[in-house]
Amino acid sequence: MGHVGHGKSTLIGRLFHDLGALPPGKIEAIQAMCERRGMPFEWAFLLDALQAERDQRITIETAQIWLRDRDRDIIFIDAPGHKEFLRNMVTGAAGADAALLVIDAGAGVEEQSRRHGYLLHFLGLRQVAVAVTKTDLAGYDKTRFAEVASVITSHLANIGLDISAIVPVSARQGENVVAQAKTMGWYRGPTLIEAIRGFKPLPSLRDLPLRLAIQDVYNFDQRRILVGRVEAGSFNVGDRLLFSPANSEARVVSIETWPHPRPDAAPPLTEAAAGQSVGITLDRPLFIERGALASHPERAPLETEVFRARLFWLGREPLAAGARLDMKILAARAHVTLEAIERVIDPGELDPLTGNAVPRHAE
Ligand code: GTP
Ligand code: MG
């Protein structure tokens, strides 16, 4: 993440190249396209594949790109920096375990650098590294790097985020991306790939309490099958499940999968875990609807009608107390009323705004 045009897509493209992770012919294809367009080689085109993105030289959609690195898989989510696409950036970042904030050494910390920094914290991301890029354009200057590093460190510290590393890089020249820079002998820290390898995977969703979101109920050759997705945790045939909000319990008799029977003639599943979509049959005919949530009774969710939330407001209209909203919770929909707004923060400024309405995010 980071401000528009600061070099995010370029950096990812370069990283994949330097790790030898690009498919054969890819560089040649980009080279040919840049020549057709009469422009210098553009690493960002590896990520920016849409026509409009290449014409306007900005990222619009988040792109995901997958890397097999040593003993683990890393998925890079390249977010757009343009403020018009903040929504795409939030959606992309919401699924991440760690963040890399990219800052142009020459331009320094700008509005979206600050705003994205704040959003990291808001989205619950706690592992953050910073790449200060385009150092080639800033003469690989130590003092300039130190200035940018100090501004972003204090900004993120104010938000409550620690930075694991701040790496001066040049994506264009491949300095400190994978290979250690010869041009920045004054820097002693990790290269970018080392900083990324330092991120720890978050605890698996499988280890959390069971949350099975019921999406539908089928009546199928005399059997009643509840279909849903395991959002977190796991369960076994024979487990007693609690269904909320009906507050009824039953035991799992079978776990059904499709196609049926399974094509490889594998035995029926006895366990299902986070990420799987399954059907289940129960030992009792409960009345359950789409939107119900199944859990283990001893680790049940807290039920409430009133709650406090942190809300990221992207609506076209301002948000004010009394607003009636539709809320989607997994497969359920609910009508809710906003009772009160306690605090409003403009993520670009960090200072609390006065008043009890949330304006449309600043243009
Ligand atoms: P958005 O996704 O639109 O926010 O932009 P971005 O952050 O992905 O920036 P992008 O990678 O598209 O780079 C913007 C421009 O900066 C491109 O023309 C790049 O070639 C140039 N650029 C990126 N990194 C470097 C670098 O290390 N050195 C130099 N000289 N130019 C760079
Ligand atoms: Mg980009």
Side-chain angles (χ1 to χ4, degrees):
M1 51 215 329
H3 197 83
V4 63
H6 276 209
K8 300 176 288 297
S9 304
T10 306
L11 193 53
I12 299 179
R14 182 75 202 209
L15 180 78
F16 273 66
H17 170 265
D18 290 4
L19 288 171
L22 292 177
K26 196 82 190 165
I27 293 292
E28 290 74 11
I30 302 251
Q31 181 80 54
M33 177 180 326
C34 293
E35 274 165 23
R36 268 202 312 280
R37 286 171 175 249
M39 55 182 282
F41 186 83
E42 185 54 83
W43 289 100
F45 283 2
L46 283 163
L47 280 299
D48 294 338
L50 301 178
Q51 187 79 32
E53 293 182 315
R54 291 178 172 175
D55 289 347
Q56 301 191 28
R57 312 276 289 273
I58 55 166
T59 302
I60 298 172
E61 295 288 347
T62 49
Q64 295 206 356
I65 169 165
W66 178 89
L67 177 73
R68 176 80 205 161
D69 180 55
R70 297 186 170 171
D71 57 348
R72 68 177 175 180
D73 297 330
I74 306 177
I75 296 171
F76 288 83
I77 307 169
D78 180 27
H82 196 289
K83 63 181 172 191
E84 272 302 308
F85 307 120
L86 195 62
R87 199 182 298 246
N88 298 351
M89 178 267 158
V90 171
T91 318
D97 289 352
L100 184 66
L101 185 62
V102 176
I103 302 175
D104 180 329
V109 176
E110 294 197 79
E111 186 191 358
Q112 304 305 313
S113 328
R114 292 178 188 279
R115 183 168 276 162
H116 289 186
Y118 180 77
L119 290 172
L120 285 180
H121 184 259
F122 186 88
L123 294 167
L125 274 131
R126 296 292 178 270
Q127 303 192 75
V128 185
V130 174
V132 176
T133 188
K134 306 197 200 182
T135 49
D136 53 304
L137 297 179
Y140 299 116
D141 184 44
K142 179 182 177 179
T143 315
R144 178 61 192 156
F145 169 73
E147 277 166 17
V148 176
S150 121
V151 174
I152 195 62
T153 307
S154 65
H155 175 70
L156 295 181
N158 276 340
I159 297 169
L161 281 175
D162 284 337
I163 306 175
S164 63
I166 308 186
V167 191
V169 300
S170 164
R172 175 117 358 131
Q173 305 301 332
E175 298 283 69
N176 278 341
V177 179
V178 172
Q180 200 142 29
K182 299 197 176 52
T183 47
M184 291 177 277
W186 44 264
Y187 173 73
R188 300 259 173 266
T191 60
L192 187 69
I193 187 65
E194 286 164 353
I196 291 169
R197 285 175 182 150
F199 290 141
K200 296 185 182 47
L202 296 190
S204 148
L205 278 177
R206 204 194 155 96
D207 299 332
L208 298 174
L210 172 67
R211 299 292 180 259
L212 168 63
I214 304 299
Q215 287 162 344
D216 221 334
V217 181
Y218 298 144
N219 287 306
F220 203 70
D221 57 9
Q222 327 271 292
R223 293 177 308 157
R224 204 169 141 73
I225 302 181
L226 309 187
V227 180
R229 188 181 134 90
V230 188
E231 299 292 337
S234 64
F235 68 96
N236 294 288
V237 168
D239 283 4
R240 176 165 283 281
L241 300 186
L242 168 73
F243 293 87
S244 306
N247 208 21
S248 46
E249 293 188 17
R251 255 180 223 290
V252 179
V253 172
S254 67
I255 298 177
E256 312 280 328
T257 48
W258 288 267
H260 182 80
R262 301 175 74 195
D264 45 4
L269 288 187
T270 56
E271 189 196 17
Q276 279 178 290
S277 290
V278 292
I280 54 172
T281 61
L282 301 175
D283 65 348
R284 296 197 289 142
L286 298 183
F287 176 70
I288 294 178
E289 288 181 294
R290 173 184 171 85
L293 188 73
S295 60
H296 286 121
E298 51 304 342
R299 299 181 82 184
L302 194 67
E303 277 184 49
T304 178
E305 292 190 329
V306 181
F307 60 91
R308 204 178 249 123
R310 290 208 229 167
L311 197 71
F312 186 70
W313 186 247
L314 287 162
R316 297 205 173 276
E317 304 297 327
L319 179 69
R324 297 188 49 77
L325 304 170
D326 268 344
M327 190 164 100
K328 188 169 176 294
I329 320 164
L330 303 175
R333 275 180 185 278
H335 295 298
V336 295
T337 305
L338 182 73
E339 288 192 348
I341 296 175
E342 294 176 352
R343 208 159 69 110
V344 184
I345 287 190
D346 175 344
E349 303 301 332
L350 282 192
D351 295 326
L353 301 177
T354 49
N356 59 354
V358 188
R360 188 181 173 198
H361 78 81
E363 290 300 301

